[in-house]
Amino acid sequence: GELCRALAETLGTPVRVTGCSRTDAGVHAKDFCITIDADGGTIPPDALPFAAARFLPWDISLISAKECDDSFHVRYDVTAKEYLYRLVNRKVSSPFDVHRAWCLARPIPIEGLSLMRRAAAYFIGTQDFSAFTAEGGKVMSHVRTLSRFTVEKQGDEYLFRVRADGFLYHMVRILVGTLVETAFGRYRPEDMREILDSRDRSCAGMTAPPDGLYLDAVFYEKDANRFL
């Protein structure tokens, strides 16, 4: 992809890039970790972000780089990920939010925030999220552990934050879509328990658009010996 091409141009040698996660088309990443395996190149890690900047497209930035030892795996050593979902609730959307948030014109009722927060609480813990995944995902188990699911309102913007040890295909978008439909009265917060137990995708709500979804943080075990 674009990142491999830019890094190969920067280092003057073919590179192999491994990412910490896969994201759907239209989804954004504020914090995305990669490992770079190159056969050559003389640029030190701390100089790599600046050196690569002129080869990268406008929508990709390399923020920092450091050496790691061969035992570190950028994907399999992840202990948790946190996603942010932005929903802007106003009649006329701003051009600055297009493709950067779910721009929803229908007003969310005043009681909607409380309903969504109550519904979100049902997802905390270790549970089977089969009802909240789309077809196409290839995983051995649909059991995941959610440690955080918050809903905040800032002006006309709703911010959903979800942290878990892993996520299923379209999982966050289906969770958000279901909460929004709860705000509009299609579901009651207590219905979340029944939906989870059903393990049936058709029982859950809509899949929210990809535009508002951001991979916001990636967590690893704090082991100083893993990094040089």
Side-chain angles (χ1 to χ4, degrees), residues 88-111:
V88 177
N89 191 214
R90 65 167 75 100
K91 290 184 178 180
V92 179
S93 61
S94 165
F96 296 104
D97 291 323
V98 175
H99 303 309
R100 295 292 181 269
W102 179 6
C103 299
L104 181 64
R106 181 184 177 187
I108 293 177
I110 294 176
E111 67 275 13

Side-chain angles (χ1 to χ4, degrees), residues 16-149:
R16 292 171 293 281
V17 175
T18 303
C20 65
S21 180
R22 287 177 288 182
T23 56
D24 302 334
V27 173
H28 318 288
K30 290 185 175 182
D31 184 12
F32 191 90
C33 302
I34 64 170
T35 50
I36 304 165
D37 187 7
D39 295 327
T42 59
I43 299 175
D46 58 352
L48 187 59
F50 180 75
R54 69 190 185 99
F55 297 108
L56 288 167
W58 67 270
D59 55 351
I60 300 177
S61 295
L62 187 62
I63 304 301
S64 64
K66 64 173 68 175
E67 288 188 43
C68 61
D69 65 34
D70 291 338
S71 68
F72 174 72
H73 197 288
V74 71
R75 180 179 177 187
Y76 299 129
D77 286 354
V78 171
T79 58
K81 300 174 188 174
E82 183 166 303
Y83 279 90
L84 164 69
Y85 194 96
R86 296 182 58 227
L87 185 156
V88 177
N89 191 214
R90 65 167 75 100
K91 290 184 178 180
V92 179
S93 61
S94 165
F96 296 104
D97 291 323
V98 175
H99 303 309
R100 295 292 181 269
W102 179 6
C103 299
L104 181 64
R106 181 184 177 187
I108 293 177
I110 294 176
E111 67 275 13
L113 179 60
S114 175
L115 291 171
M116 289 191 288
R117 285 174 170 169
R118 287 168 52 198
Y122 283 87
F123 299 112
I124 299 299
T126 302
Q127 310 189 68
D128 189 313
F129 285 90
S130 295
F132 294 90
T133 185
E135 292 185 3
K138 297 179 180 179
V139 294
M140 297 295 292
S141 171
H142 290 160
V143 174
R144 297 292 185 271
T145 301
L146 261 67
S147 56
R148 180 186 188 188
F149 196 172

Side-chain angles (χ1 to χ4, degrees), residues 128-139 141-144 167-175 178 195-196 199-202 204-205 207:
D128 189 313
F129 285 90
S130 295
F132 294 90
T133 185
E135 292 185 3
K138 297 179 180 179
V139 294
S141 171
H142 290 160
V143 174
R144 297 292 185 271
F167 291 91
L168 303 171
Y169 187 45
H170 287 182
M171 178 174 162
V172 177
R173 292 167 57 192
I174 298 170
L175 287 169
T178 303
I195 296 172
L196 282 164
R199 302 182 183 182
D200 183 349
R201 171 65 186 94
S202 66
T207 303

